[in-house]
Amino acid sequence: MKIVLIMQKLIITLLGVAFIGVSLLASVGQASAQPEWMPNPPKAIGGQCDLDPKEMRKTHMTLLDHKRDQTMRDGIRTKKYSLKKCIACHAVKDKSNKCVTVKDERHFCRSCHDYAAVRIDCFDCHASRPEDSLNKATKAAGNSHDKLAGLSSIGKTGDTTDTTLRRFIAGEVK
Amino acid sequence: MISLKQGQIEAGEHKTAPVDEAGRRKFLKGSAAALALAPGMTLFAYGEAITKPAEQAVTTKSRWGLLIDAAKFSDEDVDACVKACQDENGWRDTGKPMTDAQWIRRVNLKNKKTDEQFSLPMMCQHCAEAPCVDVCPTGASFKRKDGIVLVDKHICIGCRYCMMACPYKARSFVHEHIEDQKEHAPRGIGTVESCTMCVHLVDEGKEPACVKAAPEGAMVFGDLNDKTSKLAQLIKSVATQQVRADLNLDPGVRYRNI
């Protein structure tokens, strides 16, 4: 009898511990899953951001402003912090496999701005998705009849972002 | 000769793509050197082929300019230049001539006494003493160190003083929302725009789009400060004209046979 009692107590304790454990785990799980209303920027097509993403979140405005003046006034055309490159690497596709413009709320630059009520006018002038020629280039390169024609329609030397972007649009990278 | 050389370099560029920036420059230099040794190639061609490194700021060492030979242009040739500019920079006629963008246009001229007629391409003359720069209240209208006159649209407030000041009527104003701009030529509502001498191409060591589209030798692009450039040599040896020379604006765009 005593043994049965002890066994009963043990089972109950174990169950209790298990219950607390499970509920603890569950609550931890909940804490790490982001609430729906938080901004959730879409993933980049690959490569590395120009700056540690943590820093980029905080400083992209100033970096872009600085780059803008350098390019506009002094003709400095390096890739780092170039708006064209942000747009290329942070391209987001819709279901029909086309890159979305800033009109679409899934656009990378809107993901946080909509949440934080930031409005930028950059895309009044700047293309908000990689140029159509890239889509064409994908086709040309994909057909592999004329890989060079595809590359040349981009006009610039194909750097890694362009190459990844082509593969991204072609559906080879997610 | 120059156009042949540049054509070859570009063909090479596509073949080697993708390459990194440094590799590309090395390649450009290498091929330019090889070409300079080819028979009939002179060294002044060599100077123009080397691209400014992307991280280097422009300097006053160069002053970019154009020489346009009106005698070599038919109406269709001028229209081809306009079309090339539209394709490169993403502006187009929308059937509203009062407000449409106009970076480059055809000007028809007629000598009333002789009935002689011809046409020429007219665009921003990239003046050294640019009136548009003088009148701009925000500093948006500015001259780059290498002589290219631009609108910094980031600080343009759209007042259009520059449009009134320009004796060549070279600038236009964006009246409506635009979509699907070229990524290398941002343009948008509420700002003034004009010929940029295809600054995005020039910075990469290429020629402006109109020059490429013009008949052989009808438009020569180059560095006015480099006495060995084809452009400077031509200006030294043939009679050239400035449009409205009386205004003393020292335009970077010069003409022949007008």
Side-chain angles (χ1 to χ4, degrees):
Chain A
M1 275 313 257
K2 249 189 181 172
I3 289 176
V4 176
L5 264 178
I6 291 171
M7 283 290 278
Q8 261 181 350
K9 268 189 188 162
L10 206 87
I11 288 167
I12 288 167
T13 340
L14 274 176
L15 273 175
V17 169
F19 178 73
I20 293 168
V22 166
S23 51
L24 254 178
L25 269 178
S27 65
V28 167
Q30 236 164 31
S32 71
Q34 209 176 7
E36 217 177 87
W37 45 266
M38 288 278 282
N40 188 13
K43 285 264 164 288
I45 63 167
Q48 270 199 332
C49 202
D50 289 344
L51 192 68
D52 176 14
K54 272 200 213 102
E55 284 303 312
M56 194 51 119
R57 275 178 218 143
K58 286 186 278 186
T59 54
H60 61 275
M61 334 65 197
T62 9
L63 295 171
L64 281 169
D65 275 2
H66 187 59
K67 179 68 176 194
R68 174 191 78 185
D69 293 345
Q70 282 188 328
T71 307
M72 193 75 234
R73 301 267 159 177
D74 289 333
I76 295 173
R77 291 182 187 272
T78 45
K79 286 178 252 170
K80 201 172 186 193
Y81 306 137
S82 160
L83 183 56
K84 283 194 271 281
K85 295 292 167 197
C86 321
I87 295 306
C89 203
H90 284 288
V92 176
K93 279 192 298 189
D94 64 10
K95 286 209 186 70
S96 60
N97 223 21
K98 280 186 106 179
C99 294
V100 300
T101 68
V102 77
K103 274 201 209 148
D104 190 307
E105 61 181 15
R106 287 166 294 183
H107 191 276
F108 175 76
C109 303
R110 276 186 63 179
S111 54
C112 308
H113 292 179
D114 281 3
Y115 173 75
V118 174
R119 279 189 67 187
I120 56 173
D121 71 350
C122 316
F123 302 117
D124 277 3
C125 294
H126 288 270
S128 64
R129 62 169 166 191
E131 214 163 86
D132 262 347
S133 66
L134 268 173
N135 293 317
K136 277 181 215 133
T138 324
K139 275 195 207 121
N143 289 342
S144 87
H145 283 310
D146 195 356
K147 283 208 159 71
L148 290 179
L151 288 173
S152 64
S153 75
I154 298 174
K156 322 252 154 53
T157 12
D159 58 57
T160 42
T161 314
D162 284 347
T163 318
T164 321
L165 181 61
R166 253 197 305 279
R167 294 184 52 225
F168 171 74
I169 296 170
E172 289 165 31
V173 284
K174 281 217 206 85
Chain B
M1 192 154 57
I2 293 213
S3 62
L4 171 71
K5 176 185 56 58
Q6 295 198 336
Q8 284 172 347
I9 286 176
E10 267 158 30
E13 221 178 12
H14 299 152
K15 252 178 248 147
T16 51
V19 289
D20 59 14
E21 263 316 293
R24 177 167 158 272
R25 278 200 301 279
K26 242 187 356 219
F27 172 79
L28 272 176
K29 278 189 189 145
S31 68
L35 280 166
L37 297 178
M41 282 286 172
T42 45
L43 263 175
F44 70 76
Y46 173 78
E48 281 184 304
I50 295 177
T51 317
K52 171 185 82 64
E55 68 278 6
Q56 217 169 73
V58 291
T59 62
T60 48
K61 203 171 146 257
S62 308
R63 181 175 177 214
W64 300 114
L66 285 173
L67 179 58
I68 300 173
D69 188 343
K72 292 205 168 90
F73 274 99
S74 69
D75 284 7
E76 291 73 34
D77 293 334
V78 181
D79 291 345
C81 290
V82 175
K83 176 82 173 36
C85 180
Q86 290 178 328
D87 290 348
E88 180 62 32
N89 295 299
W91 59 277
R92 58 192 82 83
D93 291 335
T94 63
K96 295 178 208 147
M98 294 296 284
T99 52
D100 273 348
Q102 205 176 53
W103 291 28
I104 177 172
R105 68 189 194 274
R106 184 178 74 209
V107 170
N108 299 320
L109 298 164
K110 184 171 175 181
N111 185 329
K112 279 186 189 142
K113 282 194 181 132
T114 63
D115 268 356
E116 181 203 4
Q117 284 192 33
F118 58 96
S119 56
L120 48 83
M122 175 55 67
M123 72 295 248
C124 172
Q125 304 284 295
H126 298 280
C127 310
E129 310 288 339
C132 58
V133 175
D134 290 343
V135 299
C136 180
T138 68
S141 193
F142 76 106
K143 191 178 62 155
R144 237 169 59 143
K145 290 206 178 69
D146 58 3
I148 301 181
V149 175
L150 295 171
V151 181
D152 185 342
K153 298 179 193 175
H154 302 105
I155 51 176
C156 173
I157 53 169
C159 72
R160 290 166 265 179
Y161 283 177
C162 58
M163 287 173 64
M164 284 181 267
C166 177
Y168 307 103
K169 291 197 167 59
R171 287 193 165 176
S172 47
F173 180 74
V174 183
H175 290 259
E176 285 167 45
H177 269 290
I178 310 179
E179 272 170 30
D180 281 329
Q181 294 89 331
K182 300 277 175 190
E183 65 179 10
H184 53 262
R187 42 192 300 268
I189 190 165
T191 56
V192 171
E193 56 183 7
S194 61
C195 156
T196 64
M197 219 184 250
C198 285
V199 63
H200 58 288
L201 297 177
V202 172
D203 281 344
E204 288 178 352
K206 296 182 188 153
E207 293 183 319
C210 56
V211 176
K212 268 210 153 139
E216 182 73 28
M219 259 176 143
V220 177
F221 168 78
D223 183 356
L224 290 163
N225 284 351
D226 175 2
K227 295 293 168 235
T228 62
S229 75
K230 185 173 176 193
L231 178 66
Q233 298 264 322
L234 270 172
I235 288 186
K236 189 172 135 196
S237 55
V238 300
T240 61
Q241 293 138 293
Q242 308 173 14
V243 176
R244 294 298 309 268
D246 56 316
L247 296 174
N248 279 329
L249 303 176
D250 187 5
V253 180
R254 309 290 171 92
Y255 289 83
R256 280 181 82 181
N257 297 317
I258 54 174

